Amino acid sequence: MSDNPKWLNNAVFYEIYPQSFMDTDCDGVGNINGITEKLDYIKDLGCNAIWLNPCFESPFGDAGYDVSDYCRVAARYGTNDDLINLFNEAHRRDMHVILDLVPGHTSWEHPWFKESMKAERNQFTDRYVWTDSIWEEPTGYGSLRGISDRDGSCAVNFFTHQPALNYGFYKPTRPWQQSVDSQGAIATREAMKDVMKFWLSRGCDGFRVDMAGSLVKNDEDSKGTITLWQNMTDFVRKEFPEAVLVSEWGEPDKSLQGGFHMDFLLHFGPSHYNDLFRCENPYFDGKGTAADFVEKYIDSYEKSERKGLICIPTGNHDMDRLARHIHGDNKKLAFAFLLTMPGAPYIYYGDEIGMNYVEGLTSVEGGYGRTGSRSPMQWDNSINAGFSAAPSEKLYIPIDPSEDRPTVQSQLNDKNSLRSEVKKLISIRQAHKALQSKGEIEFITKGEEGKPLSYIRKTEGEQILISVNPTDKPCEFKIDSRVKEVIYSLGDGAVIKEGSIVIRECSAVFAIL
Ligand code: GLC
């Protein structure tokens, strides 16, 4: 895809898990109107875009990533009109909302799948990946078998109840494997375009695309999946040029070729994201190393033509809360890094106040170990932390029971709070083009163990040095350019010398060069 829609260049996203953000109808589950009510809170933080996790009809075996009707808001969240109202209210505030598109699979309760299970041929027979005998497994990742009269096994994508939609096989090797240009595969692709069109024409500003790299099967180098996305993103670019598509793919060289505007850095695979935030000794907790992350980041950056369109999230609904591993003011250092990197930053709801991972919960809606990161937003000290007026046993997930749990209310007017620091960091990002999505990046120090992580962000006419030192030792490093002005400092900051900088322990500094 050629140029980005302009709004993406300075977008700072806030990810909302709708179940857990704000409940205004007192059923213990968050809803769309609750999000609309809190738009001013999000805007005040400085975020100007929202990624909303799936909010469509679903049996909720995977928290809504098992869709049973792509074009209808789940009753527990409200109505389509409520969602359209959210789009309008967001636009009124100069904000944008992207939805979560799950194109790879549906719920086994989707009407398409119910038709597809039938022995008689019909319009949906080829909508999913089926073998032609129940004794043959489709893709090696698991299947649904013996569930209807249809003699075949259906491939699944994630959980067993999520049958895989058919976008074809890049290299079919068995008679039942359809090619990428078979009628069945093309019909699936067109049906997914209809879904996109449905929401984009009602005011939605784009999509975060779930498991975007997994659609075409037997596609080792992703060539088939890239071509498929080129077709879909072309359609979006032509009909909705201001719409944004961000992929959950984790390989920007591939996803950007497919036409996505940006790609997520994933917490699995080769990214080394976890080295920074989520491992035994995470770099931002002051102990580990960021060097492997930096190597891999540079590699992806170069491969995607230095476009820098890699989104690094603070966390998300699939991984541990940031605060589970990064302690005290080191969280501020983590944000100083996250909010000065290229691409669009994504703040997972509640991370801005340092919400904790809630330990020991029983799985809710297919969350398993992820459930502890999906607990209700902590607004204040009133009943259910201000999330819902329902009896607490009816809450979707229990509130963090810790007595010292952070709340928005306690942090809002405290200038030393994490939330205040996040707000300040976003406003600095918004004041300097070099710090935004498209500014280039060049690493100066790579955050080896005991060392700071330092880089220069650049656009025409502006160069900003960022140095973040989460370790307990000061460190001196060389710089070629002269420091003109320090625009941000955290902890004891830095000592600027001629040709070098000493960054103090547990400190960060941003300086115009
Ligand atoms: C993505 C989602 C995750 C979901 C899975 C299957 O990784 O982020 O929550 O369970 O896809 O759709």
Side-chain angles (χ1 to χ4, degrees):
M1 204 172 275
S2 54
D3 244 2
N4 287 339
K6 281 222 168 41
W7 69 266
L8 194 54
N9 294 344
N10 70 342
V12 178
F13 281 84
Y14 192 80
E15 178 193 344
I16 297 182
Y17 189 71
Q19 291 88 319
S20 299
F21 194 58
M22 183 66 203
D23 170 24
T24 55
D25 58 1
C26 310
D27 62 354
V29 183
N31 54 356
I32 305 281
N33 287 342
I35 298 170
T36 310
E37 199 172 275
K38 294 293 185 185
L39 279 177
D40 288 330
Y41 166 78
I42 299 165
K43 169 117 186 162
D44 175 74
L45 181 65
C47 292
N48 51 15
I50 289 172
W51 156 28
L52 194 55
N53 290 115
C55 55
F56 315 111
E57 278 298 352
S58 163
F60 294 105
D62 184 15
Y65 282 93
D66 46 336
V67 179
S68 58
D69 185 344
Y70 285 103
C71 297
R72 189 193 295 217
V73 167
R76 72 185 196 183
Y77 299 133
T79 62
N80 283 13
D81 283 344
D82 292 341
L83 185 55
I84 292 166
N85 181 50
L86 171 64
F87 298 150
N88 293 336
E89 287 298 316
H91 296 161
R92 232 166 43 80
R93 292 166 174 82
D94 232 350
M95 298 169 81
H96 292 87
V97 181
I98 65 170
L99 296 175
D100 210 316
L101 182 74
V102 190
H105 46 266
T106 66
S107 155
W108 59 13
E109 288 189 17
H110 197 293
W112 295 345
F113 190 63
K114 290 190 177 157
E115 286 300 307
S116 197
M117 279 199 298
K118 292 184 178 162
E120 314 79 56
R121 240 196 117 67
N122 62 55
Q123 198 192 335
F124 299 101
T125 300
D126 298 331
R127 181 56 49 95
Y128 296 83
V129 178
W130 287 90
T131 64
D132 54 9
S133 148
I134 61 153
W135 308 119
E136 184 165 350
E137 289 275 352
T139 54
Y141 183 71
S143 67
L144 285 159
R145 308 159 66 206
I147 48 164
S148 74
D149 294 338
R150 179 168 179 168
D151 187 8
S153 316
C154 183
V156 299
N157 256 10
F158 195 70
F159 290 144
T160 317
H161 51 72
Q162 288 160 311
L165 285 160
N166 172 32
Y167 293 91
F169 284 69
Y170 187 58
K171 287 185 190 141
T173 52
R174 304 280 301 134
W176 50 267
Q177 297 182 345
Q178 305 197 344
S179 67
V180 288
D181 49 14
S182 62
Q183 258 188 4
I186 288 174
T188 309
R189 184 189 77 195
E190 294 306 308
M192 209 43 71
K193 284 186 193 165
D194 288 345
V195 171
M196 294 164 102
K197 197 170 185 163
F198 182 89
W199 288 113
L200 291 172
S201 62
R202 283 164 177 76
C204 150
D205 297 300
F207 299 96
R208 171 266 188 187
V209 178
D210 187 68
M211 294 177 67
S214 71
L215 302 194
V216 174
K217 308 298 182 199
N218 275 10
D219 188 21
E220 222 180 293
D221 301 323
S222 309
K223 290 201 175 109
T225 307
I226 291 171
T227 310
L228 169 72
W229 278 114
Q230 283 170 344
N231 178 290
M232 311 244 263
T233 54
D234 247 20
F235 143 79
V236 173
R237 187 184 59 209
K238 285 194 189 109
E239 296 200 19
F240 303 94
E242 284 303 301
V244 155
L245 296 165
V246 184
S247 47
E248 185 199 35
W249 193 320
E251 293 177 276
D253 50 320
K254 294 180 177 168
S255 53
L256 299 186
Q257 262 187 70
F260 282 97
H261 297 104
M262 290 193 184
D263 192 17
F264 270 108
L265 191 84
L266 300 181
H267 58 291
F268 48 87
S271 73
H272 288 279
Y273 171 88
N274 286 341
D275 298 5
L276 304 183
F277 307 112
R278 293 166 178 82
C279 62
E280 210 177 318
N281 289 316
Y283 177 71
F284 280 104
D285 211 36
K287 298 162 221 145
T289 167
D292 296 329
F293 162 81
V294 172
E295 286 304 324
K296 182 67 199 162
Y297 187 92
I298 293 173
D299 181 47
S300 300
Y301 187 64
E302 296 296 338
K303 277 198 205 149
S304 51
E305 297 160 19
R306 301 174 65 83
K307 285 197 186 120
L309 302 173
I310 307 165
C311 302
I312 313 183
T314 62
N316 70 23
H317 60 291
D318 290 332
M319 53 177 130
D320 289 356
R321 283 276 183 191
L322 186 76
R324 195 180 196 191
H325 306 276
I326 312 290
H327 303 95
D329 273 357
N330 279 49
K331 288 195 275 289
K332 295 180 179 170
L333 296 175
F335 272 98
F337 158 77
L338 286 157
L339 291 166
T340 52
M341 286 296 281
Y346 278 71
I347 298 177
Y348 184 49
Y349 81 96
D351 276 354
E352 75 278 20
I353 55 168
M355 265 175 64
N356 275 314
Y357 177 89
V358 182
E359 308 282 344
L361 295 177
T362 304
S363 176
V364 174
E365 294 186 345
Y368 302 98
R370 305 176 293 184
T371 306
S373 299
R374 300 174 174 185
S375 63
M377 180 69 176
Q378 293 150 200
W379 295 104
D380 54 37
N381 282 330
S382 66
I383 183 153
N384 298 328
F387 159 69
S388 167
S392 41
E393 63 282 4
K394 277 189 73 189
L395 298 192
Y396 174 73
I397 289 173
I399 306 269
D400 177 359
S402 340
E403 271 177 22
D404 60 348
R405 65 180 176 227
T407 65
V408 168
Q409 189 186 36
S410 65
Q411 296 201 9
L412 214 47
N413 297 316
D414 171 1
K415 66 177 182 11
N416 297 318
S417 70
L418 179 60
R419 189 192 181 279
S420 299
E421 205 64 38
V422 172
K423 181 171 169 168
K424 189 201 268 182
L425 285 162
I426 297 177
S427 71
I428 294 172
R429 183 180 177 97
Q430 296 302 25
H432 297 277
K433 221 170 158 205
L435 297 179
Q436 297 169 12
S437 302
K438 283 179 157 179
E440 282 180 38
I441 185 165
E442 185 195 325
F443 287 91
I444 307 289
T445 61
K446 295 186 178 171
E448 288 94 347
E449 207 168 322
K451 298 274 170 59
L453 181 57
S454 317
Y455 41 94
I456 296 175
R457 298 289 318 277
K458 286 183 208 167
T459 45
E460 239 168 82
E462 192 177 40
Q463 285 202 50
I464 300 179
L465 169 80
I466 288 106
S467 184
V468 183
N469 184 10
T471 79
D472 57 8
K473 290 182 224 66
C475 181
E476 181 161 4
F477 62 92
K478 288 202 174 76
I479 45 160
D480 296 336
S481 320
R482 205 175 57 81
V483 168
K484 288 190 191 137
E485 186 194 347
V486 171
I487 52 170
Y488 174 80
S489 169
L490 183 66
D492 290 332
V495 184
I496 317 275
K497 300 184 180 171
E498 192 61 44
S500 76
I501 285 193
V502 181
I503 176 89
R504 297 248 173 69
E505 63 276 20
C506 294
S507 294
V509 70
F510 306 168
I512 298 185
L513 302 178

